[in-house]
Amino acid sequence: MRQFPLIKYAEVSAVNRKYFDHFNNKLGSIPNLYGMLAHSEQALDAYYSLHHHALSLNTIERVIVGIVVASLNNSPYCLDSHIMVGKLNGLSNEEINQIVEGTIIFNERYHFLANLVTEIVVGKGRPREQTVQRFLEAGYTVENMVDMIVCVADTTFTNFLTCSMGVPLDIPGGNENHA
């Protein structure tokens, strides 16, 4: 697998520099995903706008979508990133392992969310009607379903980018063992 180089701060365009400055100030470094997206004058800005918008799903629900999609797409970089965000937002190692394995028992509502995400990804956008019905019966709304599909698309995009271009983990070793 070819590994494309990441854009370094000195090479970044003026348009993308604001994102590099933001992450340097906030995290002390640039996530490798952004270092790859910065090869394009427009992609980093477009992705940032998509990824950092308000949705009707809470942070844990977004993390669940990210972990499920990254697991199904076998994307080490994205799986590692979503696991890290999950841990930072209070998910235990056991809960993360359940999400990765597709066996969520710690929360019934999240179970139905993960099932629908799985069917949408595996079925290429064609979940079974009973799975959609269970999702809605669990208290989710049509707005939640639309926002979940936006999250699926967001994660699928980054899965494809990081796998196709060989984006290395931000922290070597990362969360590979989940727990």
Side-chain angles (χ1 to χ4, degrees):
M1 158 55 63
R2 181 179 200 170
Q3 188 172 18
F4 290 84
L6 302 170
I7 294 288
K8 304 288 187 236
Y9 187 83
E11 305 164 333
V12 74
S13 71
V15 170
N16 288 328
R17 189 159 296 216
K18 67 182 176 186
Y19 296 108
F20 276 52
D21 289 341
H22 169 76
F23 283 106
N24 267 330
N25 291 334
K26 189 172 182 177
L27 304 174
S29 65
I30 309 301
N32 291 337
L33 170 65
Y34 295 99
M36 190 61 70
L37 284 166
H39 278 284
S40 168
E41 192 72 20
Q42 295 80 27
L44 180 53
D45 186 59
Y47 174 72
Y48 191 86
S49 295
L50 172 66
H51 187 70
H52 295 294
H53 62 285
L55 289 175
S56 62
L57 301 177
N58 67 40
T59 301
I60 296 300
E61 290 165 332
R62 290 175 79 155
V63 165
I64 290 168
V65 172
I67 291 174
V68 169
V69 174
S71 294
L72 291 169
N73 287 330
N74 194 24
S75 174
Y77 181 93
C78 294
L79 183 59
D80 189 69
S81 296
H82 292 293
I83 287 171
M84 178 190 65
V85 172
K87 287 180 178 181
L88 290 172
N89 284 280
L91 286 174
S92 70
N93 289 334
E94 176 59 30
E95 290 167 334
I96 289 169
N97 285 333
Q98 288 178 27
I99 298 166
V100 170
E101 294 166 5
T103 58
I104 297 176
I105 58 174
F106 68 91
N107 182 301
E108 186 177 67
R109 184 173 155 97
Y110 293 162
H111 170 80
F112 292 118
L113 170 66
N115 283 351
L116 183 55
V117 170
T118 299
E119 286 195 16
I120 285 172
V121 173
V122 172
K124 296 179 172 63
R126 293 174 181 86
R128 293 178 298 162
E129 178 57 38
Q130 71 186 49
T131 306
V132 173
Q133 187 60 37
R134 287 186 181 136
F135 172 82
L136 295 170
E137 288 171 357
Y140 287 105
T141 65
V142 174
E143 178 185 19
N144 297 143
M145 187 166 170
V146 170
D147 287 346
M148 177 268 297
I149 292 169
V150 169
C151 287
V152 168
D154 172 352
T155 304
T156 301
F157 164 72
T158 56
N159 292 176
F160 288 6
L161 181 96
T162 60
C163 290
S164 298
M165 301 190 79
V167 177
L169 297 178
D170 289 317
I171 301 171
N175 292 300
E176 292 172 344
N177 296 323
H178 313 303

